[in-house]
Each structure stands twice: as structure tokens, then as C-alpha cells.
């Protein structure tokens, strides 16, 4: 409880003891030397760490690494990191922003859940998988998912995310509760997708449950799914407004298109 500072000796390659500093509430300063490539599960969980630099060479942030570090304000992550583990930053209430380095491919369940002051997070173009409850109880309102993302967990339910921009023309595979995955309180999410891809998203059994699907780029117009009226969607195809309802296409006069 009285430990306030830790400096690891140079030359070590791993600090892989599980929960080594768990509940060291007065531990504020930690210096990890260059050359360390592995960190232990829950290494700094529930400690008083405020600022930390993870050295180059570390490839994985293990599960619960900084879980419940309520005083953690800033973390510098190297470009060598490839994965962020389960609940790695869960409950880091003082963390307001985070840049995830390009090279990270996977973000685990609840990675940032309970980071109640986290409003800004930069997601890299390398990301392929983002698991469930990542943004639960954060302040994040807008998220951009790169085209590389192919798999989504139940990411947005019970989050404050209002708008998600997806850069892929093909809807990612959804692995989560498909009942109403974009619902929070009395509001629902807007999904922004590349011009020409709204049809694919409205046909998707999960993304069709969003409040609105809006195309960006090209000459797109706002395209809205009406959740209470046959899920009608207006899109622009070849310069003409087309209405998509129940998988069929109609012109503005109501005539069915082939």
C-alpha cells in the first residue's frame, strides 16, 4: 500500500507475474525499460498508476492490464502492439483519450468499458476484430470503423455511441445479440456507409435495425430506415432515387423495379 514508484532494471525481457501490483493504490509512477516484450495479466490492475509508457517490442496488452486503474490519465502505446485484451482498460475513469496504434488487429471484450471520461478514441486501419461491450459506459459518441474490420461483437448496445461510420462496403460479420444491437435508452444509432453500399447494409439482418443508414461520398442523399414502416430506405443508384423495402426496389411512384 505504501509503494509509490517502481523502476524496473534494464535487461529484463518480461514482467509476466499476474496481478503483481494489484491494489497498490499509491503506486503512481512506473518505468518499464526498453527490451521488455511481455507483460503479465492484470499487472497494474486496481493500482494508482497515472501515466505510463509501454515500450516498443510489447505485442499484446494482456487481459485486465489496467483494469480499475481509476487514476490512469494517459498511456503511450508502441506500434508493435497487435492486440488489446479483455477489460484491459476497464474502469479507467480518468482516461479521456487514447490513440490505438496502427498494427492492432483485435480489441477484446470490455476493453474500455466503464471509462466514463473517455470521449475520443482513434481506431487504426489495421483493426479486423472488435469484441463486445468495448464502449460500454464511455463518453464516446462517434466511432469510425476502418474497412479492415470484418468482425463485430455486441459493440454498441448500451453505449453512448450515436453515429458509427463504417468504411467497408461489405457489412462486417456480427457476433452478438441481434435482438436490437444499436439501441440505447430512447435513442438509436445512425450508421454511415460508403456511397453505393446502403443496399447491402439494409439487407443485412443486423444493420437493418439501425435508426438510419446514411451514405457518404458520391451524390448520396440521406437514406433512412423507418423502423416502424416496413424498413423503407431511400438510396441513390445511377443518379436516381430508389426506395428499398423488404429487399425489393421501387421508384418514387411506387412502381417495382427489376
Amino acid at each position: 500500500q505504501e509503494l509509490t514508484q517502481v523502476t524496473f532494471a534494464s535487461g529484463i525481457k518480461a514482467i509476466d507475474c499476474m496481478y503483481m501490483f494489484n491494489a497498490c493504490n499509491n503506486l503512481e509512477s512506473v518505468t518499464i525499460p526498453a527490451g521488455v516484450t511481455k507483460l503479465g495479466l492484470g499487472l497494474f490492475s486496481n493500482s494508482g498508476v497515472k501515466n505510463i509508457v509501454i515500450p516498443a517490442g510489447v505485442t499484446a496488452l494482456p487481459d485486465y492490464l489496467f483494469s480499475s486503474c481509476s487514476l490512469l490519465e494517459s498511456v503511450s502505446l508502441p506500434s508493435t502492439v497487435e492486440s488489446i485484451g479483455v477489460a484491459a482498460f476497464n474502469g479507467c475513469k480518468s482516461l479521456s483519450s487514447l490513440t490505438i496504434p496502427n498494427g492492432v488487429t483485435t480489441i477484446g471484450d470490455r476493453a474500455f468499458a466503464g471509462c466514463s471520461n473517455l470521449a475520443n478514441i482513434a481506431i487504426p486501419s489495421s483493426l479486423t476484430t472488435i469484441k463486445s461491450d468495448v464502449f460500454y459506459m464511455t463518453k464516446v459518441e462517434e466511432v469510425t470503423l476502418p474497412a479492415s474490420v470484418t468482425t463485430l461483437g455486441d459493440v454498441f448496445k448500451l453505449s453512448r455511441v450515436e453515429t458509427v461510420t463504417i468504411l467497408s462496403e461489405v457489412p462486417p460479420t456480427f457476433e452478438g445479440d441481434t435482438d436490437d444491437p444499436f439501441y440505447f435508452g430512447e435513442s438509436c444509432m445512425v450508421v454511415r456507409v460508403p456511397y453505393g453500399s446502403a443496399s447491402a447494409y439494409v439487407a443485412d439482418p443486423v444493420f437493418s435495425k439501425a435508426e438510419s443508414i446514411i451514405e457518404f461520398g458520391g451524390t448520396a442523399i440521406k437514406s433512412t430506415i423507418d423502423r416502424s414502416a416496413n424498413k423503407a430506405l431511400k438510396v441513390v443508384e445511377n443518379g436516381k432515387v430508389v426506395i428499398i423495402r423488404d429487399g425489393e426496389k421501387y421508384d418514387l411512384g411506387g412502381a417495382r423495379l427489376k
Side-chain angles (χ1 to χ4, degrees), residues 122-225:
I123 296 177
S125 59
S126 57
L127 190 69
T128 60
T129 302
I130 182 168
K131 295 290 190 175
S132 297
D133 300 320
V134 169
F135 302 114
Y136 175 72
M137 294 301 290
T138 70
K139 286 186 176 180
V140 176
E141 295 182 352
E142 296 186 8
V143 173
T144 297
L145 299 180
S148 57
V149 172
T150 57
T151 305
L152 287 178
D154 207 348
V155 178
F156 304 112
K157 196 170 185 178
L158 297 180
S159 75
R160 289 187 172 88
V161 176
E162 297 176 353
T163 302
V164 57
T165 298
I166 304 176
L167 302 184
S168 174
E169 296 180 356
V170 179
T173 300
F174 189 83
E175 299 179 347
D177 180 7
T178 60
D179 180 37
D180 208 348
F182 303 110
Y183 184 73
F184 176 68
E186 297 179 352
S187 64
C188 297
M189 281 181 45
V190 173
V191 177
R192 299 178 69 247
V193 299
Y195 174 62
S197 63
S199 299
Y201 279 85
V202 74
D204 185 272
V206 173
F207 288 96
S208 62
K209 295 177 181 179
E211 176 72 7
S212 300
I213 292 179
I214 302 174
E215 291 185 336
F216 61 87
T219 57
I221 63 170
K222 184 173 182 179
S223 311
T224 304
I225 297 174

Side-chain angles (χ1 to χ4, degrees), residues 89-93 112-117 133-138:
F89 295 93
N90 178 66
C92 293
K93 298 179 180 180
F112 308 109
C115 293
S116 54
N117 279 303
D133 300 320
V134 169
F135 302 114
Y136 175 72
M137 294 301 290
T138 70

